[in-house]
Amino acid sequence: MSETFTSVSQEEAGFRERARLSFDLDADICVIGAGLAGLSIALEAARLGASVAVLEGRHIGWNASGNQLGTVMPGFALPLTELIERIGFEDASELWALSKEGAELVRANAAEENMPDIGLSDGVLEVSNVDAGDRLISRLQMLNEDFDTEVEGWQVDRVRAVLKTDRYFHGVYYPKAFQVDGRKYVHGLAALARRAGARIFEDTPVVSIDHSGIRKRIVTPSARLRASHIVLAGNIHLGAPLRRLSETLLPVWRYAGITTPLGERVHEIIGFKGSVKDSDGVDHFRIVDGDRLMWESPETTWAARPQRFAGSVKRRIRSIFPELGNVEISETFGGATGQTVHGMPQIGQLRKGLWVASGFGRQGMNTSAMAGQLIARSILWGEERWKLFSPFELVWAGGTTGRVAGQLVGMWGRASSAAAGTLARYRERARVKDREREARLAEANRAAGTGPRRLPSGVRPRVAPQPQPAATEEVEPVSQENRQENHQENPQEQGVSQ
Ligand SMILES: Cc1cc2nc3c(=O)[nH]c(=O)nc-3n(C[C@H](O)[C@H](O)[C@H](O)COP(=O)(O)OP(=O)(O)OC[C@H]3O[C@@H](n4cnc5c(N)ncnc54)[C@H](O)[C@@H]3O)c2cc1C
C-alpha cells in the first residue's frame, strides 16, 4: 500500500458511529488498544501494506491518549543523565535519536494537510525550580554537541521576562519541540490509519489470546480474530489477555484543568507562547484558545474523577503566578499513564509474533510514534532497532504495595522539589539583601569619608566573633504565608489520596 497523506475531515477526526467487531476476521496484524501506541503501530503497518485490525475495548483515545496536553519533545520519561548511566553513552545516543525521529513523525502526521486545526506551534521551555546555572551549561553542551539537539540556555532574567514569577530560574528552550491539540491528535491518527487501510473496531474488548501457534487467536465477546502478529498496546488496562504484562506497570493518573478566559492579563504574566514544563515534572502548562490557561499538575496512583482536582489546579496556578489572582477552572480532564519501574517504555517482541508497546509514562507522544515505526518495520521489513530497548526488561511493578510506594515517592518528589524551590528563592532574596547592605555600607563609608584603614605591618585585624550558622539556618523560617504555600504544595493536602 502506498503512503498517502490525505487530510482528516472534522467528521473523521471527531465522533463517528462506532464499529464493533461482530464477525470472525483474519488479518496480518491485530493491535489491541486504540490509544496513541496502538494507532501509531496500525498507521505505520498499514502504510507498509499490512492488513491491520485494531481492537479497542471502549472507544478511541478514551484514556490518557485522548486526555493529554499534546506537548512533543525529544527524549523519554527517564531523564537523559540516568539513561546514559544505565546503558552507556553510545546506546543512549541511539535511543535519543530514535526519540527525535518519533517527534518528527508526529510533526509529519499533524501537518496541516493531514489534520487541519490541530494547532501545531513550535517551542517548548523547560524551566528550573532551583538556581542551577552551572548544571544548565553542561546540560546544554551535552544536548547540543553530543545529542545533536537544538537547545538554547535562558538566563534567569530572560525566563522571568516571559514568565512573571520568582518560582523559576534558568530555562532550556527547545525551538524544535512543539505542541498540538492533545485531545484531538489521537482522533486524527485514527483517521489517518483508516485512510491507510487499517480497520478499527471499538466496544470490542479482547478477553483472551492464544499466542502459541503461527496464526494467533484473539477472542472478543462477539467474534474471533486470527493474525500472524499480535501487538499489545493496552497500557495499564490490558488485563486478561496478558495480566502479567499489566502488572509490570505502575498506573499513575494525571489530571489537568483549563481556566475560563483570562483576558489580556494572562499575556502580561505569561509571555511565552508554547508549553512550559518544570524540570521536576510537577507543573506543565500553556495558553490555549487565546487567553485560557491549560495546566497539568496533580497525580495519583488511584483512579479519581478529574473534577475533584479543579481546586488543586487552581491553587497551583495561584502559587506560581499570584498576579493572575483567583482563576476559575471551567474544564478538567485526565487519564492513567503506565509507568515502568525503570522509567523507559516497553517496546519489543515477547515471543515470536507477540509484541508489546506500552509504559510510555508522561511522555507518550514522540515515544509511541517511535514505537509504531520500530514495530511495524520489524514485522514487515525485519528491522531490529527495537532491540535497543532490550536492556529495559519487564519488571513487576509491585502490585498494591508498589502503588502505595509510587504515591509516596511521587509525594516525596514533589515535597522535595517544593523545599528545594523555597530554599533557592530564599538564597536569591538573601543575595539581594546582602548586595543592598553592602551598597548601604559603602555609601555610609563614603559619607563619613572613611575607607578601609591600613594597619601597621605585623598587626592582625581584630575580627568580631561571628555567630556560627546552624546546619538548618539556610532554610527559610516558616512564616504563616509559607506554611500555607507548602501546605498547598503537598499533594496529600490537595485531596490526592483516595
Ligand atoms: C493529563 C495528561 C497529560 C499528558 N500530556 C502529555 C504531553 O503533553 N506529551 C506527551 O508526550 N505525553 C503526555 N501524556 C502521556 C500520554 O498521554 C501517554 O503516554 C499515552 O497516551 C499512552 O498511550 P497508550 O496508547 O500507551 O495508552 P492509552 O491511552 O491508555 O491507550 C490504551 C488503549 O487500550 C485499550 N485497551 C486496553 N486493554 C484492552 C483490551 N483488553 N481490549 C481492547 N482494548 C484494550 C484501552 O481501552 C485504551 O483505549 C499525558 C498524559 C496525561 C494523563
Side-chain angles (χ1 to χ4, degrees):
M1 192 162 300
S2 64
E3 293 194 22
T4 45
F5 288 90
T6 19
S7 83
V8 170
S9 69
Q10 284 299 86
E11 191 214 344
E12 282 175 311
F15 294 97
R16 43 150 54 219
E17 208 171 307
R18 292 184 203 158
R20 178 179 303 183
L21 183 66
S22 53
F23 48 88
D24 289 355
L25 191 68
D26 265 39
D28 295 333
I29 302 173
C30 169
V31 179
I32 303 179
L36 288 175
L39 292 170
S40 299
I41 292 154
L43 173 60
E44 294 301 323
R47 278 176 176 168
L48 295 181
S51 73
V52 183
V54 181
L55 307 183
E56 164 56 49
R58 300 202 188 185
H59 59 85
I60 291 166
W62 80 273
N63 183 36
S65 299
N67 292 289
Q68 47 100 13
L69 268 65
T71 305
V72 188
M73 297 184 73
F76 302 89
L78 184 72
L80 181 53
T81 42
E82 287 175 41
L83 183 62
I84 299 171
E85 240 168 63
R86 176 104 207 226
I87 55 167
F89 187 83
E90 294 294 317
D91 285 354
S93 161
E94 285 197 48
L95 283 177
W96 186 267
L98 285 178
S99 81
K100 279 172 53 186
E101 274 180 45
E104 286 316 304
L105 262 175
V106 176
R107 187 188 281 281
N109 288 336
E112 184 60 26
E113 63 273 23
N114 292 329
M115 298 185 194
D117 302 327
I118 197 70
L120 195 154
S121 67
D122 283 326
V124 173
L125 184 61
E126 193 181 86
V127 287
S128 169
N129 292 319
V130 293
D131 192 354
D134 43 345
R135 262 185 279 151
L136 178 81
I137 293 169
S138 58
R139 183 167 162 75
L140 288 174
Q141 261 171 353
M142 186 167 76
L143 285 169
N144 267 324
E145 291 165 21
D146 304 326
F147 288 81
D148 194 24
T149 302
E150 207 177 306
V151 280
E152 253 175 43
W154 283 18
Q155 293 299 339
V156 184
D157 292 351
R158 187 160 179 202
V159 168
R160 293 186 182 176
V162 293
L163 300 173
K164 300 276 177 331
T165 174
D166 65 355
R167 289 305 192 102
Y168 300 143
F169 292 82
H170 298 86
V172 178
Y173 173 58
Y174 293 77
K176 296 218 168 129
F178 58 97
Q179 44 269 310
V180 294
D181 184 331
R183 291 186 291 168
K184 272 193 196 160
Y185 179 77
V186 71
H187 298 286
L189 205 53
L192 285 181
R194 281 197 185 101
R195 288 280 178 95
R199 303 177 72 178
I200 304 172
F201 300 96
E202 296 171 277
D203 293 330
T204 305
V206 173
V207 291
S208 70
I209 57 174
D210 174 1
H211 50 76
S212 52
I214 296 203
R215 294 291 287 168
K216 319 221 173 278
R217 292 159 201 279
I218 299 103
V219 180
T220 77
S222 45
R224 281 160 197 271
L225 200 141
R226 286 193 318 165
S228 306
H229 296 267
I230 299 177
V231 186
L232 305 169
N235 193 10
I236 63 145
H237 297 103
L238 181 69
L242 203 60
R243 199 162 294 284
R244 271 179 300 131
L245 182 61
S246 309
E247 287 171 357
T248 60
L249 292 175
L250 176 71
V252 177
W253 279 261
R254 299 180 191 283
Y255 309 93
I258 305 184
T259 66
T260 52
L262 300 173
E264 223 7 73
R265 72 193 162 115
V266 72
H267 299 288
E268 286 156 17
I269 293 162
I270 301 175
F272 186 75
K273 299 282 173 251
S275 301
V276 179
K277 286 176 139 189
D278 71 54
S279 48
D280 293 318
V282 178
D283 295 302
H284 174 192
F285 57 89
R286 73 169 182 274
I287 295 174
V288 293
D289 300 338
D291 62 352
R292 300 168 77 195
L293 193 50
M294 178 164 68
W295 195 288
E296 178 204 348
S297 185
E299 61 179 44
T300 60
T301 52
W302 287 272
R305 284 181 308 117
Q307 294 89 309
R308 279 187 54 187
F309 298 94
S312 68
V313 170
K314 208 166 137 165
R315 285 194 295 277
R316 248 352 259 176
I317 296 176
R318 199 171 52 212
S319 75
I320 306 285
F321 294 112
E323 283 183 52
L324 273 177
N326 214 359
V327 299
E328 288 307 321
I329 305 294
S330 59
E331 232 179 288
T332 47
F333 57 92
T337 57
Q339 218 152 280
T340 57
V341 171
H342 41 62
M344 287 294 279
Q346 302 166 326
I347 299 172
Q349 190 169 209
L350 298 179
R351 53 180 300 161
K352 204 163 170 32
L354 182 65
W355 299 82
V356 59
S358 56
F360 298 99
R362 68 174 62 170
Q363 195 158 336
M365 285 289 283
N366 66 321
T367 49
S368 60
M370 171 200 71
Q373 193 173 69
L374 287 178
I375 292 178
R377 288 188 177 182
S378 181
I379 292 176
L380 294 148
W381 289 357
E383 257 191 26
E384 297 207 314
R385 289 194 298 169
W386 63 267
K387 288 191 173 161
L388 280 166
F389 286 88
S390 309
F392 304 102
E393 290 164 359
L394 304 179
V395 186
W396 184 57
T400 311
T401 320
R403 287 190 188 200
V404 174
Q407 185 77 29
L408 292 175
V409 168
M411 277 163 53
W412 179 82
R414 282 167 174 248
S416 64
S417 154
T422 306
L423 186 58
R425 292 192 299 284
Y426 169 69
R427 283 188 173 136
E428 187 182 38
R429 283 197 293 274
R431 271 199 300 273
V432 170
K433 275 191 194 144
D434 264 1
R435 277 200 294 273
E436 285 170 0
R437 206 187 40 201
E438 274 163 24
R440 275 200 307 275
L441 205 61
E443 183 55 39
N445 281 343
R446 252 198 312 278
T450 55
R453 272 195 300 150
R454 269 237 188 105
L455 295 170
S457 64
V459 179
R460 290 173 58 196
R462 274 188 35 209
V463 181
Q466 296 287 318
Q468 288 301 306
T472 53
E473 206 176 71
E474 277 199 302
V475 180
E476 189 173 30
V478 183
S479 65
Q480 190 54 40
E481 190 191 323
N482 285 331
R483 211 175 282 138
Q484 205 174 356
E485 194 179 304
N486 289 339
H487 175 80
Q488 283 164 1
E489 279 174 339
N490 182 340
Q492 203 173 27
E493 300 292 347
Q494 296 170 1
V496 166
S497 58
Q498 288 289 292

